[in-house]
Amino acid sequence: MFIKVPKGTQDILPEDISKWYYVEDIIKEILNKYGYKEIRTPYFEYTDLFVRGIGESTDIVTKEMFTFPDRKGRSLTLRPEGTAPVVRTYLENSMSRISKVIKLFYLGPMFRCEKPQSGRFRQFNQFGIEIIGTQAPAADAEVILTALDVYKKLGLKNLEILINSVGCKKCRVNYILKLKKYLKDKNDTLCSECKERYIKNPLRVLDCKKDNCKEITEEAPVIINNLCKECELHFEEVKSYLNGQKIIFHEDPRLVRGLDYYTKTAFEIISGELGAQNAIAGGGRYDDLVEELGGKPTPAVGFAAGIERMIIAMDQQNIEWPLKEELVIFVATVNEKTQERAFRLLQKIRNTGLSADMDYSGGSLKSQMRIANKIAARYTVIVGEEELSKNMIILRNMQTKEQKEIKITNLINELTSCIDSM
Ligand code: HAM
């Protein structure tokens, strides 16, 4: 029996890779337009970064991390998300010295040991942005607008924006007391996970997907009514920036997100096509994380989006993939004797920047023509013994099936003019 791909992971096969190139190109184009610079951090970090960054009692840290020791026994973890690593590198490379506000983006695989299901993987790809160094509400609005711009360019429709404010250290203390008071006599009826959340992280009870817990918390006090003046004003301004751009959003007072670092704005973008795993992007403000990871108090805001979920939603919406047509030249040989010369010509064609290929299986001219058709070659250069003796080759237009003999020395010029006239 052969070994299969690990549970929750998937191969991206050659026939699908052009979708990924297309999506990644659009992401980079839009993020460049907004002034974000790409950063690439390692796929694994010291475990402590995520424990301190994401929060000890979160599902990600308690249940979903791929953690392993290195040879010296230091605990490493495959990155489950990109924000904590970006803040680590921001601090490690003293980026605040480069500029007061830094705008970064990343794109790549993340790892979470979750129960796999449609749209939920153990290795998945995110693109994300982080603006570090400003508490301006305009920055919160900008991250949402950036995500929407990417989706718009890709043609994705039917998206809903949910926003909330989860307050700051100051207002959350009072709110959590209120919430605990409300939940106190209902504690026994909560699910076992929520009983634990009640002790370690009561805010997360609001995020429970179980019907019973949802019912219990229906009448619970909401943080939005318990914000301090500063958080309230900040939230009003974020909404006003979004309204100014005619963005339709819904306030969701129960949106608390699964990572502990959020302060003030929290948001999710959901897609009608995705079923249970409907969050296509999520993010918000995290004004305490830089300090939590050892830096000076520095406000920040960002989001990340799942690329697999974007591609699934695009396919469900039957969005056409504008796949790049490459001009391929195929080089065919009539027998082994002409192979060496054909190979030299093949490299010469490639050196001009054209995409070219030949078949090494030693098949007949007929079978080589089949391959040429399969790879959608526009022209085939047929290298025959008789023609070679006259320093000629045959150039075949694969669409019109017309063939002509041309001088080898004219081949590149001929191919270039054929392409120019297309
Ligand atoms: P998150 O909500 O955990 O936030 O993930 C962001 C997005 O990644 C989700 O909305 C979803 O599209 C995708 N995603 C998450 N888990 C999976 C999975 N198992 N399979 C497929 N896709 C998944 C964060 O990661 C934060 N770091 C976002 C952020 C950046 N906040 C501030 N800056």
Side-chain angles (χ1 to χ4, degrees):
M1 220 184 37
F2 51 84
I3 298 165
K4 294 202 172 145
V5 72
K7 202 173 160 188
T9 69
Q10 56 180 357
D11 300 308
I12 302 168
L13 299 174
E15 58 259 37
D16 289 325
I17 202 72
S18 49
K19 291 184 179 178
W20 284 78
Y21 289 162
Y22 173 66
V23 169
E24 287 167 2
D25 282 352
I26 292 215
I27 291 169
K28 288 180 189 164
E29 180 192 320
I30 303 286
L31 300 186
N32 277 325
K33 188 174 88 175
Y34 278 81
Y36 294 89
K37 299 271 177 269
E38 184 173 359
I39 183 143
R40 298 186 188 187
T41 63
Y43 289 2
F44 57 85
E45 299 270 358
Y46 288 120
T47 304
D48 217 26
L49 175 71
F50 301 115
V51 177
R52 274 167 60 188
I54 301 172
E56 255 176 311
S57 62
T58 55
D59 285 355
I60 295 181
V61 169
T62 54
K63 296 191 257 182
E64 295 169 3
M65 297 205 303
F66 286 99
T67 296
F68 51 96
D70 71 6
R71 282 171 184 266
K72 295 224 162 109
R74 288 170 294 219
S75 182
L76 299 170
T77 290
L78 294 181
R79 61 179 190 191
E81 61 105 46
T83 309
V86 165
V87 171
R88 182 211 30 84
T89 186
Y90 169 84
L91 290 170
E92 200 166 342
N93 293 290
S94 309
M95 288 189 196
S96 60
R97 276 201 249 134
I98 304 168
S99 149
K100 192 165 177 280
V101 179
I102 298 278
K103 294 171 76 169
L104 300 167
F105 86 85
Y106 49 91
L107 199 157
M110 306 291 161
F111 308 85
R112 295 185 194 175
C113 193
E114 294 190 81
K115 200 166 168 212
Q117 62 183 79
S118 166
R120 194 207 267 159
F121 308 95
R122 291 186 170 173
Q123 177 178 327
F124 58 97
N125 289 273
Q126 278 186 345
F127 82 91
I129 59 174
E130 314 291 351
I131 310 182
I132 307 178
T134 175
Q135 46 188 320
D140 305 46
E142 183 186 293
V143 296
I144 296 174
L145 289 168
T146 311
L148 295 178
D149 227 1
V150 170
Y151 296 141
K152 187 171 160 202
K153 184 94 197 214
L154 289 172
L156 264 174
K157 295 188 187 77
N158 200 8
L159 301 174
E160 194 182 351
I161 303 153
L162 305 175
I163 69 167
N164 192 20
S165 173
V166 293
C168 64
K169 266 193 269 189
K170 276 182 282 166
C171 46
R172 217 174 309 160
V173 177
N174 290 333
Y175 170 67
I176 285 174
L177 285 177
K178 271 195 192 175
L179 183 63
K180 280 191 108 167
K181 198 169 158 203
Y182 171 85
L183 290 172
K184 200 169 176 204
D185 54 347
K186 301 171 184 69
N187 197 7
D188 287 348
T189 47
L190 290 172
C191 72
S192 58
E193 268 180 278
C194 281
K195 280 191 184 118
E196 216 170 295
R197 286 176 185 144
Y198 174 81
I199 300 163
K200 293 188 178 155
N201 194 351
L203 214 58
R204 302 272 311 135
V205 177
L206 297 178
D207 200 32
C208 185
K209 302 284 178 282
K210 300 205 177 78
D211 286 341
N212 182 48
C213 295
K214 271 194 201 167
E215 225 170 88
I216 294 171
T217 54
E218 208 150 86
E219 307 273 288
V222 287
I223 189 150
I224 204 79
N225 297 334
N226 291 276
L227 296 176
C228 64
K229 266 277 151 282
E230 189 196 318
C231 288
E232 201 180 294
L233 189 67
H234 188 273
F235 194 42
E236 286 310 314
E237 284 191 49
V238 173
K239 288 188 287 181
S240 146
Y241 273 103
L242 292 175
N243 284 327
Q245 295 298 314
K246 306 216 169 4
I247 301 297
I248 297 166
F249 55 85
H250 299 284
E251 284 184 54
D252 180 354
R254 299 171 70 98
L255 182 75
V256 290
R257 311 262 308 124
L259 305 101
D260 276 355
Y261 47 62
Y262 290 107
T263 54
K264 294 186 176 141
T265 315
F267 72 92
E268 272 181 9
I269 302 177
I270 58 177
S271 160
E273 270 73 28
L274 289 174
Q277 303 305 314
N278 61 359
I280 199 158
R285 184 159 277 287
Y286 51 95
D287 288 346
D288 301 330
L289 184 59
V290 176
E291 194 181 3
E292 184 66 46
L293 295 178
K296 289 198 202 108
T298 310
V301 61
F303 83 89
I307 301 182
E308 284 80 0
R309 290 188 191 178
M310 281 161 64
I311 292 177
I312 294 171
M314 286 176 71
D315 279 336
Q316 303 248 330
Q317 291 184 11
N318 294 320
I319 292 173
E320 248 181 63
W321 295 94
L323 305 178
K324 256 194 229 155
E325 263 196 66
E326 273 195 68
L327 190 114
V328 182
I329 313 293
F330 191 77
V331 179
T333 53
V334 290
N335 59 35
E336 246 178 53
K337 286 189 205 150
T338 64
Q339 178 124 17
E340 208 266 335
R341 193 62 204 273
F343 185 78
R344 268 193 278 155
L345 282 175
L346 172 72
Q347 280 308 100
K348 202 167 170 185
I349 298 167
R350 285 173 174 162
N351 288 342
T352 64
L354 292 170
S355 158
D357 210 352
M358 72 185 283
D359 169 48
Y360 299 123
S361 71
S364 64
L365 190 58
K366 209 169 155 192
S367 86
Q368 291 178 68
M369 285 302 164
R370 269 200 298 273
I371 297 171
N373 279 323
K374 207 166 157 189
I375 63 166
R378 295 293 186 84
Y379 290 91
T380 295
V381 175
I382 303 169
V383 188
E385 235 180 313
E386 202 189 312
E387 288 80 15
L388 267 190
S389 67
K390 300 182 281 177
N391 279 328
M392 308 283 271
I393 48 94
I394 296 166
L395 186 63
R396 180 181 170 90
N397 182 324
M398 298 302 284
Q399 270 158 3
T400 62
K401 302 196 169 38
E402 276 169 59
Q403 294 194 172
K404 59 180 173 185
E405 261 190 31
I406 57 167
K407 275 200 164 139
I408 290 182
T409 44
N410 285 345
L411 175 63
I412 299 298
N413 275 348
E414 188 76 29
L415 284 174
T416 326
S417 64
C418 288
I419 293 156
D420 287 345
S421 66
M422 279 175 69

